[in-house]
Amino acid sequence: MPPKEVDTTISPSATGPALALANSHSGNHPLKLYAGWFCPFVQRVWITLQEKEIDYRYVEINPYHKAPGFLALNPRGLIPTLVLPPSEAGEQRVLYESVIVCEYLDEQYNSGTRLLPWDPYERARARLWVNFVEKKLVAGWYRFIQHTQEKSYTIEEVRNEFLDNLKTFVKEMDDEGEGYFGKEGFGLVDVSFVPWAGRLWLIDHYKPGGVGIPKEEERKKLGEEERSIWERWERWYEAVMGREGVKGTWSEKEEYVGVYKRYAEDQTGSEVGKATREGRVLP
């Protein structure tokens, strides 16, 4: 079935902690984040702004109902879009693509959390794993949530592929420190996956069998290596989700259920949804 018409009925604002945070950044400021509260790509940048302790203005838009003023800033019409203070010559400066924006903010501002390591090797390694997150885990999350019975592959195949990639990711985590991916602490690799890790429950909600991550009682029956992987995953999840810079960017859970219903039915008209449906790389 073809996707339904573009959804313009999404709640016009965040709720819960995210609404309070958005309201606290509603004043005029030359650094502006054009955002949608429901978008995980936006959440990457929002977390980065909070972790870097940067002041900014949060501007809520519906990317499925693109106003001409927004398209003038970003002709692709995608969020997040970051509008920078004008250059010395008065030229308007705009950035988009979530990982690129996060890297820019980390390099431009010395405040708050350093997200990319100073060491060139460790910095390159972090970028390597951000790339893995993008190509394997994020792409796999959408393939999972958009699975329907009409697909040429089964839900079990999608689940096994996603869990295999998730275990590969977990095996590369530092085993010491405070639980984050890298030994330097909370960083860009963590930021790159937090929004989708925090939405895994939507797959449990919508898909038969759910994600398949074994619960504590189930882990007791696993071998030592498998058990240690999922214990390490739980440690990472608790660490990243417990950060103040992350907690404030979430809306109330029930709001996400409605937004992602079209993904679960593979009827979304979003660019990411269309790319997943057509087997293309994410835009």
Side-chain angles (χ1 to χ4, degrees):
M1 294 174 61
K4 298 174 183 176
E5 292 184 5
V6 169
D7 189 358
T8 58
T9 63
I10 290 172
S11 176
S13 69
T15 59
L19 178 59
L21 183 58
N23 287 341
S24 72
H25 288 275
S26 60
N28 194 30
H29 196 279
L31 184 68
K32 299 179 179 68
L33 173 64
Y34 285 81
W37 63 267
F38 55 87
C39 176
F41 296 97
V42 163
Q43 197 173 9
R44 279 176 171 169
V45 176
W46 208 2
I47 290 169
T48 297
L49 286 164
Q50 290 301 114
E51 288 286 340
K52 299 295 294 181
E53 300 174 3
I54 301 167
D55 198 11
Y56 59 94
R57 180 182 178 186
Y58 180 96
V59 183
E60 185 75 47
I61 66 167
N62 187 335
Y64 301 140
H65 186 64
K66 302 175 178 66
F70 175 64
L71 289 174
L73 297 172
N74 182 353
R76 295 187 66 195
L78 299 178
I79 51 173
T81 293
L82 188 73
V83 177
L84 311 180
S87 68
E88 292 183 2
E91 297 172 330
Q92 185 177 68
R93 301 185 299 165
V94 180
L95 291 174
Y96 37 91
E97 302 294 344
S98 62
V99 171
I100 291 173
V101 173
C102 291
E103 289 201 23
Y104 166 80
L105 292 170
D106 192 45
E107 293 170 357
Q108 179 67 19
Y109 295 88
N110 293 323
S111 55
T113 306
R114 175 75 185 182
L115 296 179
L116 278 170
W118 290 108
D119 178 76
Y121 169 74
E122 294 298 336
R123 187 162 61 246
R125 182 176 178 273
R127 287 179 169 133
L128 185 154
W129 284 101
V130 168
N131 185 64
F132 180 89
V133 167
E134 196 79 354
K135 291 185 176 179
K136 299 296 186 180
L137 295 179
V138 173
W141 188 94
Y142 285 105
R143 195 165 181 252
F144 208 156
I145 196 75
Q146 289 181 236
H147 182 270
T148 60
Q149 291 184 346
E150 293 77 21
K151 301 291 185 186
S152 60
Y153 46 88
T154 67
I155 191 73
E156 288 77 15
E157 290 173 319
V158 177
R159 180 181 297 108
N160 290 337
E161 180 182 44
F162 183 82
L163 290 176
D164 284 347
N165 286 327
L166 188 58
K167 287 189 282 187
T168 297
F169 180 69
V170 173
K171 287 176 184 178
E172 289 296 321
M173 291 179 179
D174 178 61
D175 285 331
E176 301 177 359
E178 298 177 305
Y180 305 117
F181 182 88
K183 60 184 179 183
E184 302 83 4
F186 186 76
L188 189 60
V189 180
D190 304 297
V191 172
S192 70
F193 189 46
V194 165
W196 289 271
R199 287 168 172 78
L200 285 173
W201 66 272
L202 285 163
I203 294 175
D204 290 334
H205 178 85
Y206 276 116
K207 299 300 166 181
V211 178
I213 295 175
K215 303 292 189 293
E216 185 175 358
E217 283 300 313
E218 297 171 323
R219 290 201 300 264
K220 294 177 181 178
K221 303 174 185 178
L222 300 175
E224 183 177 350
E225 181 180 359
E226 186 88 357
R227 185 169 62 250
S228 67
I229 289 173
W230 296 120
E231 288 173 351
R232 181 66 183 90
W233 160 259
E234 189 171 279
R235 184 173 170 231
W236 176 85
Y237 187 88
E238 290 177 353
V240 296
M241 296 297 287
R243 289 189 70 86
E244 291 302 317
V246 174
K247 288 193 292 186
T249 64
W250 291 101
S251 284
E252 300 294 347
K253 255 190 168 185
E254 59 269 18
E255 296 296 332
Y256 295 100
V257 173
V259 171
Y260 285 94
K261 184 174 186 291
R262 291 196 177 199
Y263 283 88
E265 296 173 348
D266 199 22
Q267 292 292 302
T268 176
S270 74
E271 294 301 317
V272 168
K274 288 188 286 187
T276 301
R277 186 180 301 117
E278 296 165 10
R280 296 184 283 110
V281 297
L282 301 185

